[in-house]
Amino acid sequence: MSFLRIACAGLAAALLGAAAPGAAQSEYPTKPIRLVVGFSAGGISDVLARAIAAKMSQTIGQQVIVENKPGAGTTIAGDFIAKAAPDGYTIWLQDITTHAINATLYPKLPYDSVKDFTPVGLVASTPLMLVVHPSTPAKSVPELVIFLKASPGKHSYGSSGTGTILHLTSEMFKTVAGLDVVHVPYKGSGPATQAILGGEVVFVFSTMPPAVSNARAGRLRALAVTTPKRVGAMPEVPTMIEAGLPGFESVLYSGILAPAGTPTAVVRRLNAEFAKVLASDEIKVVYEKLGADPITTTPEEFAAMLQQEIAKLAPVVKASGAKVE
């Protein structure tokens, strides 16, 4: 073969290679997409997923179907996604805070929390809300601290389970405020909410939907939110920082992960579609009711944040003593 033929052949191959990502992006998707959630139906991740999936089904040209795979602190869903085909048809709406916690909480995960996934982008940030039973005399965070310190070791707080963000946020509160209170782990945020409603525990750092609905109905008293700014769902409730705890912040971040090796063009298409969905008026209404904020990032920004969250939460998990074998 002459030099000219070799050069032409090489040029043709290069052009075909350069066109491949664009071709893959224009062809994707050609079938329904599974959006996996690592929690049971009815929780905030599930509600977010179903709202996003319904809107995205209209914009991407294929059905987006939510599939719940709860259990083992979302590690069942994580293992499923890590082993799924990296083709963009099986993706995961994950509570990134939980994902970051699990990297330290579980000494032997069946997957690598970073290497086995391809970050697509963030989709939401959600605060927690510190709530107490109305029978508790405390009407503010400083009053709650005084109340708890008056009887060290005699009061308890509830969480959605050992090592969850509700547990770790409470441990942060204990440390910062110098409290001696007992942790009572429940099997999920639902049972934890029932515990505080029944007066079994003094306080809970609750997810927003049950906290807002029960506070508005007078069944719980909202003392503070854990984000740097107040939330639109209950603007009268101060932040933990405003309540006298400088730097106190705990945010639930939700994002989309795909299996490692998912083509870049597919990741870019998904990222763009999620951004389009989050900008819609329908999703803004849903988020407002949930007390959540729509948030978008590039895949690269999300990847960096994921590693930062793992590093940030590792010492908190270790300090709490939480571990799941």
Side-chain angles (χ1 to χ4, degrees), residues 212-233:
V212 171
S213 60
N214 284 301
R216 285 176 175 167
R219 292 186 289 267
L220 293 175
R221 182 182 299 137
L223 300 187
V225 292
T226 61
T227 38
K229 296 181 180 179
R230 297 192 183 196
V231 299

Side-chain angles (χ1 to χ4, degrees), residues 31-175:
K31 61 182 181 180
I33 299 168
R34 284 194 295 180
L35 181 58
V36 174
V37 179
F39 298 95
S40 301
I44 189 165
S45 293
D46 178 70
V47 175
L48 286 172
R50 292 183 186 280
I52 290 170
K55 183 62 180 177
M56 194 166 171
S57 294
Q58 300 171 9
T59 63
I60 202 168
Q62 290 288 341
Q63 283 295 111
V64 180
I65 303 164
V66 174
E67 185 173 323
N68 298 88
K69 288 189 176 296
T74 74
T75 62
I76 290 175
D79 190 36
F80 177 79
I81 295 295
K83 292 179 172 63
D87 54 11
Y89 291 101
T90 304
I91 55 178
W92 189 16
L93 189 147
Q94 170 60 306
D95 177 340
I96 297 306
T97 310
T98 299
H99 189 70
I101 289 169
N102 287 348
T104 302
L105 183 65
Y106 290 80
K108 295 180 181 179
L109 282 171
Y111 52 82
D112 185 292
S113 298
V114 174
K115 295 178 181 178
D116 288 337
F117 303 95
T118 299
V120 175
L122 285 178
V123 294
S125 64
T126 313
L128 298 177
M129 184 177 283
L130 174 58
V131 294
V132 296
H133 191 272
S135 63
T136 303
K139 293 181 171 59
S140 67
V141 174
E143 289 182 5
L144 177 61
V145 171
I146 293 170
F147 171 73
L148 294 171
K149 283 188 172 182
S151 304
K154 293 186 178 180
H155 295 296
S156 59
Y157 72 88
S159 82
S160 53
T162 299
T164 63
I165 190 62
L166 274 63
H167 173 211
L168 297 183
T169 302
S170 301
E171 288 295 311
M172 287 168 54
F173 181 43
K174 275 179 58 178
T175 300

